[in-house]
Amino acid sequence: MYRWLGLLLGAILLWGAAQPAGAVLRIGVIVSATGAASALGLPQRNAVALLPRRIGGEPVEYVVLDDNSDPVRTVALVRALLRAPGVDALIGPTTTPASLALLDFVADAQVPMLTPAGSSLVVQPLEARKRWAFKLTPSEASLSTVLLRHMARHGVRRLALIGFTDTYGESWRSYIEGAAPKAGVHLLLTERYGRMDQTVMGQVLNTMAAKPDGVLIAASGLPALLPQVSLRDKGYRGPIYQTMGASLGAFPLLAGKVAEGTWMVANPVLVADQLPPNHPLATQVAAYAQAYRARYRVAPEPFGGYVFDAGLLLQAAVPQALTHGHPGTPAFRQALRNALEHGAPLAGCQGIYRFTRDNHNGPEPLPRAMMQLRQGHWVLTPD
């Protein structure tokens, strides 16, 4: 294949051979630290430094790889990684298309994958090849319910959607289209654009011509800003909703005045200072925020929180798996998957995880589930 892949494979194999079998718990981490999804992947890479270095008494070793926001490169990296001896779990990849592309490989290798991908297609329907995948982000079903309820209460009866052309945007379109009538909301039209597109002017003009009461942007990372900026530049003054894929710490700064009034399902990390002390997530949100600030001297980024939560899930599951086998063995990986699937509810910094045999689909939204951008700050609001 490509020269870089040959060099990578050699490095990974040497990395695995350098340790005796079972001596370390080895975790592969695949992130989009460069490319279109880098605003999501960079904080995920940063969060790896906050993960535990020992779990259940065993030393942990992380190998972090950048897929450049390219699913083809993701597959090449992970195929090489899975050939290394003793890879016990994967964290990542960052995006939905990349996560979908890995399902067959992680199932064949029987390696659990904890992914921060945004679409529930990664784990639904929970067929055999998806049983090795665990999604760390809330489901579109639960998020769309919160969004549509809010829209209906605030007079949005005619909705337009502008979303990615890929599985993330299409998954959101499908959920909104199915749930909107029950909420009394009519989906007028759907406009699509690519993650790498430089303009969405045609989509914006079509949207405004339909005269919607509100617009939902189903996109993630920095590309989610493009329709919002274009809508405001063209004079659209109705409410704009974003999915949690746009919950970047830098969103208010990058979008500027056009972001004022934006609605989004609440991300615990972005409203950490507004959570009451007795909130079920308060402890872990504070732990993540403090650790991130201490290391990087900046505010914590929400998407790094999913990697932090992956560490918490592994801390709970690995001790159980160790009773069935040693790291680096098929028995251990199978037991690790089972422990993740049957573990007790776990409070992370992004939600409460309740994985079961029939549900690998991430946490539920916060009880007070909406936030709005006001004067450059996210404000937690009632539904």
Side-chain angles (χ1 to χ4, degrees):
M1 199 177 228
Y2 304 108
R3 182 174 179 272
W4 66 262
L5 181 56
L7 293 172
L8 170 68
L9 177 57
I12 290 175
L13 291 174
L14 286 172
W15 162 73
Q19 299 288 340
V24 235
L25 175 65
R26 295 191 178 96
I27 310 296
V29 185
I30 312 297
V31 296
S32 298
T34 55
S38 60
L40 315 180
L42 278 171
Q44 291 170 1
R45 186 180 67 182
N46 288 346
V48 176
L50 313 181
L51 297 182
R53 263 42 193 178
R54 296 189 73 88
I55 302 178
E58 299 290 336
V60 185
E61 194 171 279
Y62 301 94
V63 56
V64 184
L65 301 173
D66 174 19
D67 66 9
N68 195 225
S69 305
D70 179 1
V72 175
R73 182 178 169 98
T74 311
V75 170
L77 290 171
V78 171
R79 289 183 67 183
L81 185 61
L82 293 176
R83 290 179 59 182
V87 177
D88 293 300
L90 293 177
I91 298 174
T94 298
T95 68
T96 294
S99 297
L100 288 169
L102 294 185
L103 290 174
D104 287 333
F105 298 103
V106 297
D108 289 346
Q110 297 194 337
V111 172
M113 176 176 73
L114 294 90
T115 173
S119 173
S120 296
L121 291 173
V122 176
V123 292
Q124 288 183 338
L126 200 53
E127 60 200 26
R129 72 189 186 117
K130 296 182 180 181
R131 290 198 169 275
W132 290 87
F134 295 84
K135 183 167 158 298
L136 299 169
T137 55
S139 70
E140 298 99 321
S142 61
L143 295 173
S144 61
T145 297
V146 174
L147 284 171
L148 288 165
R149 182 172 64 228
H150 185 274
M151 291 174 188
R153 290 177 178 175
H154 289 76
V156 177
R157 304 297 179 188
R158 293 158 47 87
L159 176 69
L161 187 150
I162 304 176
F164 280 160
T165 54
D166 61 27
T167 44
Y168 183 85
E170 284 301 293
S171 182
W172 265 100
R173 180 204 57 77
S174 176
Y175 277 99
I176 292 293
E177 191 173 63
K182 301 174 186 176
V185 177
H186 173 55
L187 182 60
L188 288 173
L189 82 163
T190 299
E191 293 288 334
R192 300 168 175 85
Y193 71 107
R195 290 176 184 255
M196 301 299 290
D197 287 355
Q198 299 299 306
T199 178
V200 289
M201 196 54 63
Q203 295 92 324
V204 163
L205 292 175
N206 288 342
T207 297
M208 293 180 65
K211 298 183 178 179
D213 300 322
V215 177
L216 172 63
I217 299 172
S220 63
L222 296 181
L225 298 176
L226 183 59
Q228 178 140 1
V229 172
S230 299
L231 281 164
R232 294 305 192 209
D233 282 350
K234 286 299 177 182
Y236 179 73
R237 294 294 175 259
I240 295 178
Y241 292 80
Q242 289 273 2
T243 69
M244 288 185 76
S247 55
L248 307 170
F251 183 94
L253 178 64
L254 294 172
K257 292 182 179 180
V258 301
E260 186 70 12
T262 302
W263 290 100
M264 192 185 301
V265 176
N267 188 300
V269 174
L270 287 177
V271 292
D273 59 344
Q274 300 171 51
L275 301 180
N278 62 348
H279 191 280
L281 307 184
T283 299
Q284 295 300 355
V285 170
Y288 169 63
Q290 290 168 8
Y292 201 96
R293 284 183 184 278
R295 184 168 186 91
Y296 298 109
R297 307 299 179 189
V298 294
E301 279 286 346
F303 282 90
Y306 294 116
V307 171
F308 186 82
D309 283 357
L312 296 176
L313 288 161
L314 290 171
Q315 282 182 287
V318 165
Q320 298 178 50
L322 287 170
T323 65
H324 296 273
H326 298 291
T329 65
F332 175 79
R333 293 193 292 270
Q334 178 68 55
L336 180 60
R337 195 205 72 83
N338 292 344
L340 287 166
E341 188 174 78
H342 299 293
L346 183 143
C349 70
Q350 293 288 28
I352 297 177
Y353 297 86
R354 294 185 176 93
F355 294 132
T356 68
R357 176 176 174 78
D358 300 316
N359 177 28
H360 289 193
N361 205 9
E364 294 301 305
L366 285 169
R368 293 179 67 194
M370 293 297 294
M371 62 185 185
Q372 186 181 34
L373 198 61
R374 299 175 183 171
Q375 297 182 341
H377 299 283
W378 290 108
V379 178
L380 191 61
T381 69
D383 290 357

